[in-house]
Amino acid sequence: MTTVGVCGNLLGIRDLDGARILHFLDQAEAFREIMDRDIKKVPTLRGKVLVNMFFEPSTRTMTSFELAGKILSADVVNFSSSFSSLSKGESIKDTARTLMSLGADVVVVRHPHTGVPEFISRLIPVPVVNAGDGIGEHPTQALLDLYTVRRRLGELKGVNVTIMGDVSHSRVARSNIFAFTRVGARVRLVAPPTMLPAGVEELGVSVFHSLEPLYHDTDILYLLRIQRERQSESLVPSLREYSNLYGVNAGVLSRFKKNVLVMHPGPINRGVEISADVADGLSSLIEEQVRNGVVVRMAALYLLTRREG
Ligand code: NCD
């Protein structure tokens, strides 16, 4: 195997096999001890320029990539659409060319439209990382989620993952379905029929409309945000009804087997898909996911810019 994904990019988990996915996790693990140092800085990407192009609001993901780049000593340029010429009508093509003239060595792209990171990757000769494209993929989120589970449970094979929420509008769900199934975990989806993409079973998952059959064997309960900006509100009669049927609070959690762990990519809607006590409780891995995001993104930046051949 010679490349990461297609042409040295990280556009989606769809492009990766299980061994490649685990390779990212192993690299992240190798970087982990840097985070415990007093001075969190290594020269790995010294002299390289990382450009973050964010055409959609983001705090967590952009900060995480920025920090990952800085810890590896890259020069980091953040470029978000509200400050860019895109608001003056510059095309994505021109923007990409400008970035190349600035000397970018790796470009991280988030965009509200599916496929834009791939489009940009065909315009520029440096690695592109998809940091979330429309309802497409969010590969580094899935990698950090697998990393978090592996650290907690010691393995991924045979782990029962229950993903609940608006699967059809969630790039996180798509990437996680690919990622968890390829490393041998079992993925079960729970959602109202309107929030499930047609034919999703073909991806090797099983589908449920309630949690009940999954209480006894769920290891990881992965909750998704109701994607208000992606029109999901019309997919359920009301947020209150969604919350009554699919919201997870301490009462719901107590019906699961002992040691069930709760995950969420953030941002969370407290009181809708997850109650505050569950989000902040002992079963929650949410903060750990955010923390682990940095080493996983360091691994991605390093492996993509290393020129593996
Ligand atoms: C996710 C995203 O933007 O796709 N969040 C994130 O990356 N932290 C999930 C979401 O928006 O619900």
Side-chain angles (χ1 to χ4, degrees), residues 56-58 60-61 110 131-132 134 138 141 170-172 224-227 229-230 264-267 297:
E56 200 183 73
S58 160
R60 206 176 311 249
T61 306
R110 166 168 289 198
H138 192 351
Q141 177 70 46
S170 174
R171 53 199 179 204
V172 172
L224 300 169
R225 185 171 65 95
I226 292 290
Q227 312 264 326
E229 78 279 23
R230 293 181 198 129
H264 192 303
R297 288 175 175 123

Side-chain angles (χ1 to χ4, degrees), residues 61-282:
T61 306
M62 187 155 105
T63 316
S64 185
F65 273 107
E66 181 174 1
L67 204 52
K70 286 183 168 165
I71 292 170
L72 295 174
S73 300
D75 292 309
V76 182
V77 181
N78 291 328
F79 175 94
S80 53
S81 57
S82 49
F83 305 115
S84 79
S85 303
L86 279 186
S87 44
K88 298 181 205 147
E90 187 174 276
S91 74
I92 288 178
K93 237 177 188 160
D94 292 330
T95 307
R97 290 204 180 105
T98 307
L99 293 173
M100 280 325 293
S101 325
L102 291 172
D105 293 293
V106 54
V107 176
V108 174
V109 182
R110 166 168 289 198
H111 200 281
H113 295 141
T114 310
V116 169
E118 190 193 352
F119 177 71
I120 291 177
S121 77
R122 284 194 252 114
L123 299 172
I124 58 177
V126 300
V128 172
V129 182
N130 177 4
D133 64 326
I135 56 170
E137 283 222 41
H138 192 351
T140 58
Q141 177 70 46
L143 292 172
L144 78 87
D145 290 333
L146 266 66
Y147 179 82
T148 303
V149 172
R150 194 175 75 167
R151 275 198 69 82
R152 243 334 157 92
L153 301 181
E155 60 187 341
L156 290 163
K157 219 175 161 153
V159 170
N160 289 325
V161 181
T162 299
I163 301 178
M164 181 158 80
D166 185 3
V167 176
S168 53
H169 291 87
S170 174
R171 53 199 179 204
V172 172
R174 280 174 64 76
S175 288
N176 266 325
I177 289 169
F178 290 128
F180 277 113
T181 52
R182 285 183 193 175
V183 298
R186 272 187 289 273
V187 177
R188 299 85 61 87
L189 305 178
V190 181
T194 48
M195 289 185 170
L196 285 165
V200 71
E201 292 93 340
E202 284 158 29
L203 299 178
V205 299
S206 29
V207 168
F208 298 81
H209 299 305
S210 92
L211 276 176
E212 216 153 331
L214 304 168
Y215 286 141
H216 69 287
D217 70 350
T218 293
D219 299 303
I220 301 291
L221 178 59
Y222 197 105
L223 302 175
L224 300 169
R225 185 171 65 95
I226 292 290
Q227 312 264 326
R228 295 182 212 216
E229 78 279 23
R230 293 181 198 129
Q231 301 164 4
S232 305
E233 236 162 327
S234 57
L235 300 178
V236 283
S238 72
L239 285 182
R240 180 187 297 192
E241 176 146 353
Y242 180 86
S243 178
N244 286 342
L245 289 170
Y246 295 99
V248 173
N249 56 28
V252 173
L253 201 62
S254 70
R255 308 182 69 173
F256 279 86
K257 82 171 168 99
K258 231 177 94 208
N259 299 336
V260 64
L261 294 167
V262 178
M263 298 177 75
H264 192 303
I268 60 177
N269 297 310
R270 285 172 193 259
V272 181
E273 72 273 8
I274 188 167
S275 67
D277 53 351
V278 171
D280 305 331
L282 288 174

